[in-house]
Structure formats: structure tokens, C-alpha cells
Amino acid sequence: MAVGHGAGLLAIALALSAAGSAHADTAPGEDQVRVTEQPATGQPGKTFTAVTLIAAPVAKLCGIVQDYPSYASYMPNTKSALPVGAGEGYVLVDMTLDLPLGQEKKYRLRLDADASGNQCKLSWKLIPRPDLKQSDTIADTTGYWLFRPAAGASEKSVVEYHVYADPGPVPFGFGWIVDLMSKRSLPRTLEALRGRAATM
């Protein structure tokens, strides 16, 4: 989630970009997180992809990121992640981010899970909430978690976390919100997932 699901996950977009896709043979080590900014596509937000190796199997990690109510206990800046609806293959989750200086952002995500072969993907996109004022929500976010077995080590997983985030109008002096919801949050979110997996 996040946005930080991470944001705080989450918060957490789901179109797999060939440019952002990382393969098992190029994954960093277990103590490293590699973050790359994707080329601008004319959209107002920013897109980043983070990749790491986590010592946990695909099924375990996929289960952790689909336990939305638990996000608040370990995902950075995530105040709550409340499932509010579901359909065939997807869940609607209301996210609330608790940001520095008293800033709070709320938004709804549609999360679609797809487990096929030996990999698992959890994608998300923003669902508009007319009940929220523009200043209380974000303009857009999409992204995905992608888990694949590490080469030669099925008990370890290559984890790819891809996020597009556009926080919308940002008050003067609060430009840090853009990075906090994207580039800065990615390593923290992956480390949070690593820590969660180690305790379960």
C-alpha cells in the first residue's frame, strides 16, 4: 500500500512496465533495495520501481500484503487500511495516511490479486471518493507488488514494488509530500515487509 501499502503501503498501481520490470538474475541482495525512477509519460505524478530480495517464499509474502487491516501495524505512514467492499478477484480498501506536520490523506483503492504459476501479483488503482475534499485526498495512484521465486532458492523471493503517485495540489512548503508518497517511501515499505515476514 502503499503508499507506504505501504504506505504505508500502499497506499498502495497495476500495469506491469517492461522498463520497470526487474528479473531474478539482476535482483539486489537481501540487505539492499534498488530504486529507479521511470521515464515521465506526460502525467503529473512520478513513477518509481523498487526491487529487493526477501528471505520468504512467494505465498507467504503474497498473503502478508493481502492482510489489509494489518497494514497500520507495520507499514510506514499508514494510519489505517479498511476493506469496504469486494467483488470477483478484487477488494476495495479505504486508506488513510498519517503524514508529518499533521497532514492526513485518505483515498480508496481497488486491489486485484493474481497468482499464476509460481508468482503472485497484487495490483491497485485509485477509485474516486466524491465524499472527500480535494485537499483531503490524492489525485491518483496506481501500482503493483510482484513476487517471484529467487533463482535457485524457492524459499526466497524477488520483490518488485512499482508505484505511480500524484498527490495533487500541494500547499506551499509541502513539496516533500510528493517524495514521501513515492521515492522516499519505497525502501521503507520494502524494509517493513521484510521485517513483517521475519516475525511471522
Side-chain angles (χ1 to χ4, degrees):
M1 123 185 33
V3 214
H5 48 19
L9 200 51
L10 277 156
I12 76 224
L14 301 169
L16 184 58
S17 165
S21 182
H23 298 285
D25 59 354
T26 62
E30 290 181 53
D31 59 345
Q32 300 173 315
V33 176
R34 183 176 63 229
V35 180
T36 56
E37 183 171 2
Q38 304 304 316
T41 59
Q43 296 176 299
K46 294 184 178 182
T47 304
F48 294 91
T49 301
V51 180
T52 193
L53 184 68
I54 294 181
V58 167
K60 180 176 183 178
L61 295 174
C62 195
I64 290 174
V65 298
Q66 291 183 73
D67 181 11
Y68 308 114
S70 73
Y71 278 16
S73 67
Y74 72 98
M75 283 293 187
N77 300 115
T78 302
K79 184 175 182 178
S80 65
L82 303 176
V84 294
E88 186 174 354
Y90 73 87
V91 178
L92 298 178
V93 178
D94 280 354
M95 302 291 302
T96 301
L97 300 187
D98 191 7
L99 304 176
L101 301 179
Q103 296 292 302
E104 188 174 272
K105 294 292 183 180
K106 299 179 179 181
Y107 52 95
R108 178 169 295 165
L109 297 178
R110 169 175 166 151
L111 296 110
D112 294 78
D114 180 19
S116 57
N118 60 358
Q119 71 177 33
C120 175
K121 184 179 181 183
L122 179 66
S123 306
W124 69 86
K125 63 180 180 180
L126 185 76
I127 300 297
R129 283 186 57 183
D131 60 307
L132 294 176
K133 296 187 297 184
Q134 185 182 60
S135 59
D136 293 334
T137 188
I138 63 175
D140 196 14
T141 183
T142 58
Y144 60 79
W145 288 99
L146 180 62
F147 305 104
R148 291 171 291 187
S154 60
E155 75 282 2
K156 297 182 179 181
S157 301
V158 177
V159 179
E160 181 177 338
Y161 183 50
H162 179 85
V163 177
Y164 167 77
D166 174 14
V170 176
F172 180 77
F174 286 82
W176 50 266
I177 290 178
V178 178
D179 284 338
L180 186 63
M181 291 187 61
S182 52
K183 184 177 182 179
R184 286 170 53 190
S185 75
L186 268 67
R188 295 171 59 215
T189 299
L190 287 174
E191 292 302 338
L193 177 62
R194 191 194 312 279
R196 182 72 168 180
T199 62
M200 297 181 66

mmCIF file with all atom_site columns, all heavy atoms in Angstrom, residues 176-189:
data_model
loop_
_atom_site.group_PDB
_atom_site.id
_atom_site.type_symbol
_atom_site.label_atom_id
_atom_site.label_alt_id
_atom_site.label_comp_id
_atom_site.label_asym_id
_atom_site.label_entity_id
_atom_site.label_seq_id
_atom_site.pdbx_PDB_ins_code
_atom_site.Cartn_x
_atom_site.Cartn_y
_atom_site.Cartn_z
_atom_site.occupancy
_atom_site.B_iso_or_equiv
_atom_site.pdbx_formal_charge
_atom_site.auth_seq_id
_atom_site.auth_comp_id
_atom_site.auth_asym_id
_atom_site.auth_atom_id
_atom_site.pdbx_PDB_model_num
ATOM 1   N N   . TRP A 1 176 ? 7.621  18.156 -0.058 1.00 0.00 ? 176 TRP A N   1
ATOM 2   C CA  . TRP A 1 176 ? 8.156  16.873 0.396  1.00 0.00 ? 176 TRP A CA  1
ATOM 3   C C   . TRP A 1 176 ? 7.103  15.769 0.345  1.00 0.00 ? 176 TRP A C   1
ATOM 4   O O   . TRP A 1 176 ? 7.443  14.578 0.332  1.00 0.00 ? 176 TRP A O   1
ATOM 5   C CB  . TRP A 1 176 ? 8.681  17.005 1.834  1.00 0.00 ? 176 TRP A CB  1
ATOM 6   C CG  . TRP A 1 176 ? 7.723  17.645 2.776  1.00 0.00 ? 176 TRP A CG  1
ATOM 7   C CD1 . TRP A 1 176 ? 7.655  18.957 3.112  1.00 0.00 ? 176 TRP A CD1 1
ATOM 8   C CD2 . TRP A 1 176 ? 6.662  17.003 3.502  1.00 0.00 ? 176 TRP A CD2 1
ATOM 9   N NE1 . TRP A 1 176 ? 6.635  19.186 4.004  1.00 0.00 ? 176 TRP A NE1 1
ATOM 10  C CE2 . TRP A 1 176 ? 6.016  18.011 4.267  1.00 0.00 ? 176 TRP A CE2 1
ATOM 11  C CE3 . TRP A 1 176 ? 6.220  15.691 3.596  1.00 0.00 ? 176 TRP A CE3 1
ATOM 12  C CZ2 . TRP A 1 176 ? 4.934  17.734 5.103  1.00 0.00 ? 176 TRP A CZ2 1
ATOM 13  C CZ3 . TRP A 1 176 ? 5.138  15.413 4.425  1.00 0.00 ? 176 TRP A CZ3 1
ATOM 14  C CH2 . TRP A 1 176 ? 4.514  16.412 5.163  1.00 0.00 ? 176 TRP A CH2 1
ATOM 15  N N   . ILE A 1 177 ? 5.828  16.148 0.319  1.00 0.00 ? 177 ILE A N   1
ATOM 16  C CA  . ILE A 1 177 ? 4.769  15.126 0.267  1.00 0.00 ? 177 ILE A CA  1
ATOM 17  C C   . ILE A 1 177 ? 4.904  14.271 -0.983 1.00 0.00 ? 177 ILE A C   1
ATOM 18  O O   . ILE A 1 177 ? 4.654  13.066 -0.970 1.00 0.00 ? 177 ILE A O   1
ATOM 19  C CB  . ILE A 1 177 ? 3.381  15.787 0.323  1.00 0.00 ? 177 ILE A CB  1
ATOM 20  C CG1 . ILE A 1 177 ? 3.135  16.378 1.719  1.00 0.00 ? 177 ILE A CG1 1
ATOM 21  C CG2 . ILE A 1 177 ? 2.278  14.782 -0.015 1.00 0.00 ? 177 ILE A CG2 1
ATOM 22  C CD1 . ILE A 1 177 ? 1.811  17.088 1.864  1.00 0.00 ? 177 ILE A CD1 1
ATOM 23  N N   . VAL A 1 178 ? 5.323  14.888 -2.095 1.00 0.00 ? 178 VAL A N   1
ATOM 24  C CA  . VAL A 1 178 ? 5.452  14.150 -3.356 1.00 0.00 ? 178 VAL A CA  1
ATOM 25  C C   . VAL A 1 178 ? 6.449  13.014 -3.198 1.00 0.00 ? 178 VAL A C   1
ATOM 26  O O   . VAL A 1 178 ? 6.178  11.856 -3.553 1.00 0.00 ? 178 VAL A O   1
ATOM 27  C CB  . VAL A 1 178 ? 5.881  15.101 -4.498 1.00 0.00 ? 178 VAL A CB  1
ATOM 28  C CG1 . VAL A 1 178 ? 6.053  14.320 -5.793 1.00 0.00 ? 178 VAL A CG1 1
ATOM 29  C CG2 . VAL A 1 178 ? 4.872  16.226 -4.665 1.00 0.00 ? 178 VAL A CG2 1
ATOM 30  N N   . ASP A 1 179 ? 7.643  13.328 -2.658 1.00 0.00 ? 179 ASP A N   1
ATOM 31  C CA  . ASP A 1 179 ? 8.660  12.290 -2.490 1.00 0.00 ? 179 ASP A CA  1
ATOM 32  C C   . ASP A 1 179 ? 8.277  11.290 -1.409 1.00 0.00 ? 179 ASP A C   1
ATOM 33  O O   . ASP A 1 179 ? 8.564  10.095 -1.518 1.00 0.00 ? 179 ASP A O   1
ATOM 34  C CB  . ASP A 1 179 ? 10.012 12.920 -2.150 1.00 0.00 ? 179 ASP A CB  1
ATOM 35  C CG  . ASP A 1 179 ? 10.675 13.548 -3.360 1.00 0.00 ? 179 ASP A CG  1
ATOM 36  O OD1 . ASP A 1 179 ? 10.330 13.157 -4.489 1.00 0.00 ? 179 ASP A OD1 1
ATOM 37  O OD2 . ASP A 1 179 ? 11.520 14.441 -3.177 1.00 0.00 ? 179 ASP A OD2 1
ATOM 38  N N   . LEU A 1 180 ? 7.631  11.764 -0.351 1.00 0.00 ? 180 LEU A N   1
ATOM 39  C CA  . LEU A 1 180 ? 7.251  10.875 0.739  1.00 0.00 ? 180 LEU A CA  1
ATOM 40  C C   . LEU A 1 180 ? 6.274  9.815  0.261  1.00 0.00 ? 180 LEU A C   1
ATOM 41  O O   . LEU A 1 180 ? 6.276  8.680  0.745  1.00 0.00 ? 180 LEU A O   1
ATOM 42  C CB  . LEU A 1 180 ? 6.636  11.675 1.891  1.00 0.00 ? 180 LEU A CB  1
ATOM 43  C CG  . LEU A 1 180 ? 6.330  10.884 3.168  1.00 0.00 ? 180 LEU A CG  1
ATOM 44  C CD1 . LEU A 1 180 ? 7.627  10.348 3.763  1.00 0.00 ? 180 LEU A CD1 1
ATOM 45  C CD2 . LEU A 1 180 ? 5.612  11.747 4.179  1.00 0.00 ? 180 LEU A CD2 1
ATOM 46  N N   . MET A 1 181 ? 5.424  10.171 -0.714 1.00 0.00 ? 181 MET A N   1
ATOM 47  C CA  . MET A 1 181 ? 4.440  9.222  -1.219 1.00 0.00 ? 181 MET A CA  1
ATOM 48  C C   . MET A 1 181 ? 4.986  8.366  -2.354 1.00 0.00 ? 181 MET A C   1
ATOM 49  O O   . MET A 1 181 ? 4.279  7.504  -2.876 1.00 0.00 ? 181 MET A O   1
ATOM 50  C CB  . MET A 1 181 ? 3.199  9.972  -1.700 1.00 0.00 ? 181 MET A CB  1
ATOM 51  C CG  . MET A 1 181 ? 2.404  10.617 -0.582 1.00 0.00 ? 181 MET A CG  1
ATOM 52  S SD  . MET A 1 181 ? 0.864  11.317 -1.175 1.00 0.00 ? 181 MET A SD  1
ATOM 53  C CE  . MET A 1 181 ? 0.055  9.838  -1.807 1.00 0.00 ? 181 MET A CE  1
ATOM 54  N N   . SER A 1 182 ? 6.236  8.598  -2.747 1.00 0.00 ? 182 SER A N   1
ATOM 55  C CA  . SER A 1 182 ? 6.768  7.806  -3.852 1.00 0.00 ? 182 SER A CA  1
ATOM 56  C C   . SER A 1 182 ? 8.191  7.363  -3.557 1.00 0.00 ? 182 SER A C   1
ATOM 57  O O   . SER A 1 182 ? 8.396  6.359  -2.872 1.00 0.00 ? 182 SER A O   1
ATOM 58  C CB  . SER A 1 182 ? 6.685  8.609  -5.159 1.00 0.00 ? 182 SER A CB  1
ATOM 59  O OG  . SER A 1 182 ? 7.284  9.892  -5.015 1.00 0.00 ? 182 SER A OG  1
ATOM 60  N N   . LYS A 1 183 ? 9.179  8.130  -3.999 1.00 0.00 ? 183 LYS A N   1
ATOM 61  C CA  . LYS A 1 183 ? 10.567 7.669  -3.929 1.00 0.00 ? 183 LYS A CA  1
ATOM 62  C C   . LYS A 1 183 ? 11.022 7.339  -2.519 1.00 0.00 ? 183 LYS A C   1
ATOM 63  O O   . LYS A 1 183 ? 11.593 6.283  -2.268 1.00 0.00 ? 183 LYS A O   1
ATOM 64  C CB  . LYS A 1 183 ? 11.491 8.718  -4.547 1.00 0.00 ? 183 LYS A CB  1
ATOM 65  C CG  . LYS A 1 183 ? 12.950 8.285  -4.601 1.00 0.00 ? 183 LYS A CG  1
ATOM 66  C CD  . LYS A 1 183 ? 13.804 9.332  -5.280 1.00 0.00 ? 183 LYS A CD  1
ATOM 67  C CE  . LYS A 1 183 ? 15.251 8.864  -5.371 1.00 0.00 ? 183 LYS A CE  1
ATOM 68  N NZ  . LYS A 1 183 ? 16.101 9.879  -6.051 1.00 0.00 ? 183 LYS A NZ  1
ATOM 69  N N   . ARG A 1 184 ? 10.779 8.229  -1.564 1.00 0.00 ? 184 ARG A N   1
ATOM 70  C CA  . ARG A 1 184 ? 11.272 8.013  -0.208 1.00 0.00 ? 184 ARG A CA  1
ATOM 71  C C   . ARG A 1 184 ? 10.549 6.871  0.495  1.00 0.00 ? 184 ARG A C   1
ATOM 72  O O   . ARG A 1 184 ? 11.107 6.226  1.394  1.00 0.00 ? 184 ARG A O   1
ATOM 73  C CB  . ARG A 1 184 ? 11.135 9.301  0.612  1.00 0.00 ? 184 ARG A CB  1
ATOM 74  C CG  . ARG A 1 184 ? 12.148 10.364 0.251  1.00 0.00 ? 184 ARG A CG  1
ATOM 75  C CD  . ARG A 1 184 ? 11.826 11.694 0.898  1.00 0.00 ? 184 ARG A CD  1
ATOM 76  N NE  . ARG A 1 184 ? 11.653 11.582 2.349  1.00 0.00 ? 184 ARG A NE  1
ATOM 77  C CZ  . ARG A 1 184 ? 11.171 12.572 3.101  1.00 0.00 ? 184 ARG A CZ  1
ATOM 78  N NH1 . ARG A 1 184 ? 10.796 13.706 2.535  1.00 0.00 ? 184 ARG A NH1 1
ATOM 79  N NH2 . ARG A 1 184 ? 11.055 12.419 4.405  1.00 0.00 ? 184 ARG A NH2 1
ATOM 80  N N   . SER A 1 185 ? 9.313  6.622  0.096  1.00 0.00 ? 185 SER A N   1
ATOM 81  C CA  . SER A 1 185 ? 8.543  5.597  0.797  1.00 0.00 ? 185 SER A CA  1
ATOM 82  C C   . SER A 1 185 ? 8.883  4.183  0.345  1.00 0.00 ? 185 SER A C   1
ATOM 83  O O   . SER A 1 185 ? 8.667  3.225  1.099  1.00 0.00 ? 185 SER A O   1
ATOM 84  C CB  . SER A 1 185 ? 7.047  5.841  0.595  1.00 0.00 ? 185 SER A CB  1
ATOM 85  O OG  . SER A 1 185 ? 6.640  5.470  -0.699 1.00 0.00 ? 185 SER A OG  1
ATOM 86  N N   . LEU A 1 186 ? 9.398  4.027  -0.867 1.00 0.00 ? 186 LEU A N   1
ATOM 87  C CA  . LEU A 1 186 ? 9.594  2.677  -1.405 1.00 0.00 ? 186 LEU A CA  1
ATOM 88  C C   . LEU A 1 186 ? 10.566 1.836  -0.586 1.00 0.00 ? 186 LEU A C   1
ATOM 89  O O   . LEU A 1 186 ? 10.225 0.712  -0.185 1.00 0.00 ? 186 LEU A O   1
ATOM 90  C CB  . LEU A 1 186 ? 10.018 2.737  -2.877 1.00 0.00 ? 186 LEU A CB  1
ATOM 91  C CG  . LEU A 1 186 ? 8.871  2.673  -3.884 1.00 0.00 ? 186 LEU A CG  1
ATOM 92  C CD1 . LEU A 1 186 ? 7.993  3.926  -3.805 1.00 0.00 ? 186 LEU A CD1 1
ATOM 93  C CD2 . LEU A 1 186 ? 9.400  2.508  -5.311 1.00 0.00 ? 186 LEU A CD2 1
ATOM 94  N N   . PRO A 1 187 ? 11.798 2.308  -0.304 1.00 0.00 ? 187 PRO A N   1
ATOM 95  C CA  . PRO A 1 187 ? 12.699 1.477  0.508  1.00 0.00 ? 187 PRO A CA  1
ATOM 96  C C   . PRO A 1 187 ? 12.130 1.175  1.889  1.00 0.00 ? 187 PRO A C   1
ATOM 97  O O   . PRO A 1 187 ? 12.259 0.050  2.390  1.00 0.00 ? 187 PRO A O   1
ATOM 98  C CB  . PRO A 1 187 ? 13.970 2.337  0.602  1.00 0.00 ? 187 PRO A CB  1
ATOM 99  C CG  . PRO A 1 187 ? 13.904 3.249  -0.575 1.00 0.00 ? 187 PRO A CG  1
ATOM 100 C CD  . PRO A 1 187 ? 12.447 3.545  -0.754 1.00 0.00 ? 187 PRO A CD  1
ATOM 101 N N   . ARG A 1 188 ? 11.474 2.146  2.507  1.00 0.00 ? 188 ARG A N   1
ATOM 102 C CA  . ARG A 1 188 ? 10.908 1.940  3.830  1.00 0.00 ? 188 ARG A CA  1
ATOM 103 C C   . ARG A 1 188 ? 9.792  0.896  3.792  1.00 0.00 ? 188 ARG A C   1
ATOM 104 O O   . ARG A 1 188 ? 9.654  0.076  4.711  1.00 0.00 ? 188 ARG A O   1
ATOM 105 C CB  . ARG A 1 188 ? 10.373 3.257  4.386  1.00 0.00 ? 188 ARG A CB  1
ATOM 106 C CG  . ARG A 1 188 ? 11.453 4.302  4.643  1.00 0.00 ? 188 ARG A CG  1
ATOM 107 C CD  . ARG A 1 188 ? 10.853 5.647  4.979  1.00 0.00 ? 188 ARG A CD  1
ATOM 108 N NE  . ARG A 1 188 ? 10.014 5.571  6.162  1.00 0.00 ? 188 ARG A NE  1
ATOM 109 C CZ  . ARG A 1 188 ? 8.913  6.278  6.340  1.00 0.00 ? 188 ARG A CZ  1
ATOM 110 N NH1 . ARG A 1 188 ? 8.480  7.094  5.388  1.00 0.00 ? 188 ARG A NH1 1
ATOM 111 N NH2 . ARG A 1 188 ? 8.218  6.161  7.451  1.00 0.00 ? 188 ARG A NH2 1
ATOM 112 N N   . THR A 1 189 ? 9.008  0.907  2.716  1.00 0.00 ? 189 THR A N   1
ATOM 113 C CA  . THR A 1 189 ? 7.924  -0.061 2.594  1.00 0.00 ? 189 THR A CA  1
ATOM 114 C C   . THR A 1 189 ? 8.462  -1.473 2.414  1.00 0.00 ? 189 THR A C   1
ATOM 115 O O   . THR A 1 189 ? 7.973  -2.434 3.031  1.00 0.00 ? 189 THR A O   1
ATOM 116 C CB  . THR A 1 189 ? 7.011  0.314  1.421  1.00 0.00 ? 189 THR A CB  1
ATOM 117 O OG1 . THR A 1 189 ? 6.439  1.606  1.656  1.00 0.00 ? 189 THR A OG1 1
ATOM 118 C CG2 . THR A 1 189 ? 5.896  -0.703 1.238  1.00 0.00 ? 189 THR A CG2 1
#
